[in-house]
Amino acid sequence: MIKVIISGCSGKMGHVVAQEIAQREQMQAVAGIDLRPCACDFPVFSSPTEVNVKADVMIDFSNPSALFSLLALAKREKLPVILCTTGYDEKQVAALKEASREIPVFYSRNMSLGINLMIELCKKASQVLGSAFDVEVIEQHHNQKIDAPSGTALMIANAISQTRSGTTQYVYDRHSQRRKREPSEIGIHSIRGGTIVGEHEVLFAGHHETIRIAHTAQSKEVFAVGAVNAAAYLVGKPVGLYDMSDLLK
């Protein structure tokens, strides 16, 4: 039985993760971490420092501000951790990479299998099309999402950038610019509205033709399933930094 701690258990994603774990015979949620109260079937602690329950792995869908205390808990207990929260800054990313020298860390800005397949398709398209095609990334999310652009949009842009020669610059806002588009640019656009779970589209625009690669998430369940699959995968793995590409191999 794999015992799981859910960080952010009172949030929307935390509830979906708990439901997904409950459906698996070989998994059990044994504790949660959240400042808000939660009607859960397991004890909920308001801080990682208060956790006194033994577990095999931790899944985090909380807030970037919780990262350092979560890593401290994971390192103290030698606990593999799945980091699904978006919006980390450079220092936080550096901290989780440093932690991966002591514990197994699984970090992905999007836990959807479909999104990660989309990224691989975009990399292939970029390699084939080259600099003759301009690239624009468009992402859409619900009106409660705080960070923009989404972590997934940046994942996509970074993956495409790795396939291009020379430097790539990200352009987030064109209305204030009075100049032609540079070939080295990748445009990134954010839309917020309604209850959109998550939509990502990459437009490759060439001479007299365009190619679109898109993914639509219709439920938060796809992210929960990915996170729980990652948790099952990470248990027993050696120290190191893992992502969805490792899970898909």
Side-chain angles (χ1 to χ4, degrees), residues 222-244:
V222 297
F223 310 120
V225 169
V228 175
N229 286 342
Y233 166 83
L234 199 62
V235 172
K237 288 292 185 294
V239 167
L241 183 62
Y242 301 84
D243 60 23
M244 284 298 288

Side-chain angles (χ1 to χ4, degrees), residues 72-156:
L73 167 64
K75 288 190 288 187
R76 183 181 74 239
E77 299 296 328
K78 301 301 179 184
L79 189 66
V81 59
I82 316 297
L83 299 174
C84 312
T85 299
T86 62
Y88 292 140
D89 59 27
E90 292 182 1
K91 289 184 179 179
Q92 290 169 319
V93 172
L96 69 88
K97 289 180 178 179
E98 181 67 25
S100 71
R101 298 180 180 181
E102 300 181 42
I103 56 173
V105 175
F106 192 108
Y107 171 53
S108 178
R109 288 166 167 166
N110 192 300
M111 301 302 296
S112 162
L113 175 64
I115 274 289
N116 286 275
L117 174 58
M118 176 190 175
I119 290 173
E120 294 302 315
L121 294 174
C122 288
K123 288 165 63 176
K124 181 62 176 179
S126 178
Q127 291 168 349
V128 172
L129 301 174
S131 60
F133 281 69
D134 297 322
V135 180
E136 298 285 311
V137 180
I138 306 99
E139 56 98 349
Q140 304 180 48
H141 284 87
H142 54 86
N143 58 20
Q144 300 300 301
K145 187 172 178 60
I146 298 173
D147 56 315
S150 69
T152 302
L154 293 174
M155 274 179 67
I156 295 169

Side-chain angles (χ1 to χ4, degrees), residues 5-84:
I5 295 173
I6 305 173
S7 172
C9 59
S10 296
K12 293 179 180 178
M13 281 307 307
H15 284 299
V16 182
V17 168
Q19 291 169 4
E20 177 63 26
I21 291 174
Q23 296 176 14
R24 305 207 180 189
E25 294 182 357
Q26 299 302 318
M27 270 192 162
Q28 179 186 6
V30 295
I33 304 171
D34 208 300
L35 289 172
R36 297 164 293 180
C38 175
C40 301
D41 297 330
F42 44 79
V44 178
F45 302 90
S46 61
S47 168
T49 59
E50 300 175 1
V51 176
N52 59 7
V53 176
K54 295 296 181 181
D56 301 304
V57 65
M58 177 166 58
I59 298 175
D60 174 49
F61 270 108
S62 59
N63 187 283
S65 62
L67 177 67
F68 294 112
S69 57
L70 290 173
L71 290 178
L73 167 64
K75 288 190 288 187
R76 183 181 74 239
E77 299 296 328
K78 301 301 179 184
L79 189 66
V81 59
I82 316 297
L83 299 174
C84 312

Side-chain angles (χ1 to χ4, degrees), residues 191-202:
I191 296 171
R192 296 289 177 268
T195 58
I196 301 171
V197 175
E199 297 184 12
H200 293 85
E201 178 183 349
V202 179

